[in-house]
Amino acid sequence: MQGEGIQYERELNEEQLAAVTAPDGPVLVIAAAGTGKTRTLIYRVAWLVERGIDPRNILLLTFTNKAAHEMLDRARDLVSHSVSKPWGGTFHHMANRILRRHAEALGYKNDYTILDQDDARSLVKTCTQELRLKDKHFPKPDVLLSLYGYAASTERPVEGLAAQRFEHTPIDVDDILKVHTAYEQRKRRLNAMDFDDLLVNGLRLFQNHPDLLEQYRQRFVHTLVDEYQDTNIIQSSWVDLIAGPGGNLLVVGDDFQSIYSWRGANFRNILSFPERYPGSRMYKLVTNYRSVPEILGMANACIAGNPEQFQKTLKAVRESYRKPILAQLRDGREQAGFILDRVRALCAEGYRMSEMVVLYRSHFHALEIQLELAQQGMPYIITSGVRFFEQAHIKDVTTLLRLFSNPGDELAFQRLLSLWPRIGQKTAVKIWNALGRRCDLRKEATRSRLGEMIPAAAREAWNAVDLIASDFDKHELANDPGEVVHRFTKTFYEVYAKETYENADRRLEDIDELINYTSRFETIDAFLNEVALMTNLDAEADPMAGDTDDALRLSTVHQAKGLEWKVVFVLWMADGMFPSSRSVNETGEDAEERRLFYVAITRAKDELYLCVPRMRRTRDGGMNFLTPSRFIAELDPKLMEQARVF
């Protein structure tokens, strides 16, 4: 049946039209990058309404409420403002909406409280204190909440995940389980749910109460799901229950862009859809409106050999332009210089800096480019975090260097002591004043006095610093800032990071890169002077402080998913960097890393630059030779234009 008001055949291409007008029943839409996924969902909603489906019987599930509202509003604009609005929102939003009506079936009151992150953090902290664990090596509340949440979203036991995460630390897994049990019990007594509970209880409600499930199956005549490749096992199971075996379920996603397993997403949800829904129809959107043919040619080639996927080939609409450029460079410093030269040249051609982005696999990959941008006064914005030297963990591990350089640095002293157990700001100030407002750690008398004043709980942390300080002159550590940071990290900060940060591994990678970077400097003072200059230059070049928004974007590939730029630079295309050696070692495969590379390529509209440094500085001042990324080696050289720089 053709809609009367909307000219579907004129406004959609053949692939989109087929998906939009698909018959009832289970439908899988594989929407490749830049092929109009959102447009297809919007027109599907409009199509259903024009066919006589009451909008209140349509459920649209997305990963942001903003996306749901925008899609539903645009669909209403297509049909009529007078129609009712379909049910739409995130999985958490919809689970909460249903639980508000039926929470009593699970033993909650319907006016249960939803704990925000701060509430949940406070509750976990209370449980830890009541179990008298605060003076032991133990994870901070945010770390525990991250662990508990990942266990919930993957339906894996907390015990196994905790044992894996804290394997090389003095943390007792049994204590983590005790806090988890206490936290769950306390939430029950308070009639409260945290963010993860909404999904878990939403699923339990339908699993345990088939009568309620049937009510919602009758209500939601059609269910649509966006970004289906990013669903976790609970979300997928919840959708399966609502839709029923032969229900009207349409899911849209791209298995090629499944890159979030580290936060619980399970790409097998989309791969197994045809088996879970026998007789389902599959439609593929492969006509790409974003990128030039040369970029799509590389994207198709890079992903073609990945195992376990729905094969598809992107088709270009745009005219031919120029091939992606492979830049073989000496090291990270030359890589940064090359990119800035190209940015200037592209600006001279008429591009704006805001139309370009530098993408990287991990945060620490962007250190040299940030330094080069600051030195040359070029504005940039980091969309995936704060600037390198402003990150908390980098400031933490350089604090000891600052105190060695300037014993009168009160801020450094207070920051150092704040890392130790049972020392707050008041205690730190009291100790500082007792030391005469100066702490020269190179003097044995000062160290002895400081050691006498710190609480017993901080003794282990102090011993790590005391050992470094006692070796400072003997081992000439004033001339080796990297060695100081290395010793401090290995004897204290590594465990501290794992107890404090849910993304401790990423932060420890940053610290390793910092140690490598310090090898350029002959003294602690020289290093600290450079850092101070860089951070001040950063502040001066900060585009957010002025009126312009024309700044170069820096982002991890994960943060860039769903976005696009005219020009894309990809950093550190070397094995061990991209793909990440840590990720490959943890999973035993590189399939998701290859999908991540595919996402990076398909962000580019006009021009793509792949940077391959051949050497990387080590902490002793030497250089490691790198192997070009396997993802580059797999490609036909004819797909690229070589830009050999050295």
Side-chain angles (χ1 to χ4, degrees):
M1 171 181 173
Q2 181 73 345
E4 296 178 3
I6 304 171
Q7 301 300 311
Y8 292 93
E9 292 183 355
R10 179 183 301 173
E11 298 175 28
L12 302 169
N13 66 30
E14 290 185 8
E15 299 160 2
Q16 295 166 343
L17 181 65
V20 165
T21 61
D24 288 352
V27 175
L28 173 60
V29 180
I30 302 296
T35 59
K37 166 183 69 67
T38 300
R39 185 178 183 83
T40 300
L41 272 172
I42 291 167
Y43 275 79
R44 176 64 173 183
V45 173
W47 169 265
L48 293 173
V49 173
E50 285 201 340
R51 284 179 58 214
I53 302 297
D54 189 326
R56 291 169 295 186
N57 296 135
I58 298 174
L59 172 63
L60 173 63
L61 294 164
T62 64
F63 278 84
T64 68
N65 284 319
K66 180 181 178 182
H69 293 322
E70 287 180 351
M71 280 191 269
L72 294 175
D73 287 343
R74 287 172 62 186
R76 292 177 74 196
D77 288 342
L78 285 174
V79 183
S80 169
H81 282 292
S82 62
V83 302
S84 302
K85 195 169 185 178
W87 281 48
T90 65
F91 287 88
H92 293 87
H93 174 81
M94 300 312 303
N96 176 57
R97 190 170 175 181
I98 293 171
L99 285 167
R100 285 296 179 192
R101 302 181 177 191
H102 310 290
E104 291 180 351
L106 296 177
Y108 291 88
K109 296 178 181 178
N110 291 343
D111 62 349
Y112 60 84
T113 299
I114 299 176
L115 302 177
D116 61 20
Q117 187 70 12
D118 190 54
D119 293 330
R121 185 185 299 118
S122 297
L123 200 56
V124 168
K125 184 177 180 180
T126 298
C127 294
T128 302
Q129 291 172 339
E130 290 179 351
L131 289 166
R132 300 181 179 180
L133 300 173
K134 62 181 180 179
D135 291 336
K136 299 176 65 175
H137 277 288
F138 201 66
K140 297 290 192 296
D142 282 340
V143 177
L144 291 174
L145 288 169
S146 173
L147 177 71
Y148 300 157
Y150 187 77
S153 65
T154 57
E155 293 190 331
R156 295 172 62 184
V158 172
E159 182 176 9
L161 291 174
Q164 181 180 353
R165 179 175 292 193
F166 301 111
E167 181 179 5
H168 301 297
T169 72
I171 295 169
D172 189 336
V173 172
D174 286 339
D175 289 338
I176 292 176
L177 297 178
K178 290 176 184 176
V179 172
H180 183 242
T181 299
Y183 176 57
E184 293 299 313
Q185 292 173 345
R186 183 64 67 90
K187 284 188 295 181
R188 273 287 189 173
R189 290 203 300 270
L190 294 174
N191 189 40
M193 301 186 200
D194 63 21
F195 209 51
D196 297 306
D197 291 329
L198 295 175
L199 294 184
V200 171
N201 288 328
L203 180 61
R204 285 180 55 226
L205 181 72
F206 287 156
Q207 288 175 330
N208 298 344
H209 299 277
D211 55 328
L212 291 177
L213 172 61
E214 187 58 32
Q215 288 182 30
Y216 283 93
R217 282 183 176 173
Q218 295 295 326
R219 183 184 197 104
F220 298 131
V221 179
H222 284 269
T223 300
L224 293 77
V225 185
D226 189 19
E227 300 286 8
Y228 190 69
Q229 79 282 345
D230 294 335
T231 56
N232 61 37
I233 190 169
I234 293 181
Q235 292 163 332
S236 175
S237 299
W238 194 68
V239 169
D240 287 348
L241 285 174
I242 288 179
N248 298 324
L249 171 64
L250 183 144
V251 302
V252 180
D254 182 8
D255 54 307
F256 285 6
Q257 298 185 73
S258 179
I259 58 173
Y260 294 119
S261 64
W262 50 275
R263 66 185 190 195
N266 189 342
F267 88 114
R268 296 193 181 281
N269 291 341
I270 193 169
L271 289 183
S272 65
F273 189 91
E275 288 73 41
R276 299 202 322 276
Y277 290 91
S280 60
R281 293 176 172 82
M282 181 189 299
Y283 299 87
K284 295 182 181 180
L285 308 184
V286 295
T287 301
N288 178 284
Y289 295 90
R290 176 186 299 157
S291 307
V292 297
E294 291 80 2
I295 290 174
L296 296 186
M298 176 175 283
N300 289 328
C302 91
I303 200 69
N306 232 22
E308 296 185 284
Q309 61 187 22
F310 297 117
Q311 294 298 339
K312 51 189 173 295
T313 302
L314 287 166
K315 297 187 299 185
V317 170
R318 297 182 58 192
E319 294 182 359
S320 180
Y321 186 51
R322 60 177 66 161
K323 292 181 180 180
I325 293 175
L326 179 68
Q328 300 191 55
L329 304 146
R330 181 181 299 110
D331 55 20
R333 184 178 292 183
E334 188 166 81
Q335 174 179 247
F338 168 77
I339 291 173
L340 266 60
D341 287 344
R342 287 304 306 148
V343 168
R344 291 192 188 91
L346 290 163
C347 286
E349 294 178 15
Y351 286 102
R352 290 171 57 82
M353 288 182 66
S354 58
E355 296 174 324
M356 310 180 210
V357 70
V358 177
L359 299 181
Y360 34 88
R361 172 61 181 84
S362 300
H363 287 264
F364 71 88
H365 292 181
L367 174 57
E368 285 96 350
I369 188 75
Q370 288 186 52
L371 295 171
E372 193 71 17
L373 284 163
Q375 286 176 338
Q376 300 197 25
M378 297 176 69
Y380 69 99
I381 296 173
I382 300 180
T383 59
S384 55
V386 299
R387 298 166 193 259
F388 188 83
F389 288 110
E390 295 172 1
Q391 298 176 105
H393 52 291
I394 297 300
K395 295 178 78 171
D396 286 346
V397 297
T398 56
T399 293
L400 188 57
L401 297 178
R402 289 172 53 190
L403 200 56
F404 278 130
S405 176
N406 176 14
D409 190 336
E410 181 179 0
L411 295 178
F413 179 84
Q414 290 185 12
R415 188 178 190 102
L416 177 64
L417 265 63
S418 72
L419 302 176
W420 301 348
R422 303 298 294 276
I423 297 182
Q425 185 177 12
K426 289 183 179 179
T427 302
V429 170
K430 182 178 179 181
I431 294 174
W432 175 254
N433 290 333
L435 291 172
R437 302 183 64 80
R438 185 175 178 83
C439 181
D440 189 347
L441 292 174
R442 298 166 70 172
K443 294 182 177 180
E444 185 175 352
T446 300
R447 297 199 306 274
S448 177
R449 192 173 179 197
L450 177 57
E452 293 171 355
M453 287 188 286
I454 62 172
R459 177 66 53 185
E460 183 180 348
W462 159 243
N463 288 341
V465 172
D466 187 31
L467 184 61
I468 296 171
S470 63
D471 285 345
F472 194 83
D473 291 326
K474 180 171 55 178
H475 293 171
E476 298 182 342
L477 295 181
N479 302 326
D480 195 348
E483 179 63 17
V484 175
V485 175
H486 172 71
R487 293 189 184 193
F488 183 62
T489 302
K490 290 304 176 185
T491 57
F492 168 71
Y493 199 80
E494 184 173 353
V495 172
Y496 174 86
K498 290 180 178 179
E499 293 177 353
T500 305
Y501 299 115
E502 54 190 277
N503 57 349
D505 288 344
R506 194 269 289 173
R507 293 175 187 260
L508 291 170
E509 282 183 336
D510 286 348
I511 294 170
D512 286 341
E513 187 64 16
L514 172 73
I515 293 170
N516 293 341
Y517 174 70
T518 62
S519 65
R520 301 178 182 183
F521 304 93
E522 295 182 356
T523 66
I524 287 176
D525 289 345
F527 166 70
L528 291 175
N529 287 337
E530 182 72 6
V531 171
L533 288 172
M534 287 302 99
T535 51
N536 279 285
L537 286 170
D538 273 347
E540 291 176 5
D542 187 353
M544 303 307 290
D547 297 328
T548 179
D549 63 350
D550 190 24
L552 184 66
R553 267 59 176 176
L554 275 60
S555 174
T556 61
V557 183
H558 284 104
Q559 289 283 343
K561 182 176 175 290
L563 304 176
E564 60 184 38
W565 290 268
K566 289 185 176 180
V567 180
V568 170
F569 299 91
V570 186
L571 300 183
W572 287 108
M573 291 304 307
D575 253 23
M577 303 285 276
F578 200 163
S580 160
S581 57
R582 180 166 59 87
S583 178
V584 172
N585 291 338
E586 286 178 355
T587 63
E589 60 175 31
D590 59 14
E592 183 159 325
E593 291 288 298
R594 190 174 284 101
R595 295 195 293 269
L596 194 63
F597 180 48
Y598 172 87
V599 168
I601 292 173
T602 53
R603 300 311 93 198
K605 299 168 70 174
D606 299 348
E607 302 197 28
L608 174 65
Y609 296 82
L610 304 176
C611 299
V612 185
R614 304 306 293 267
M615 292 181 287
R616 184 166 178 245
R617 190 178 296 274
T618 59
R619 58 180 291 262
D620 60 4
M623 300 294 283
N624 276 342
F625 285 91
L626 303 174
T627 302
S629 171
R630 67 193 72 178
F631 303 150
I632 298 293
E634 292 169 355
L635 295 172
D636 185 339
K638 295 178 181 178
L639 293 171
M640 300 167 277
E641 178 183 333
Q642 300 285 332
R644 193 177 298 274
V645 179
F646 79 101

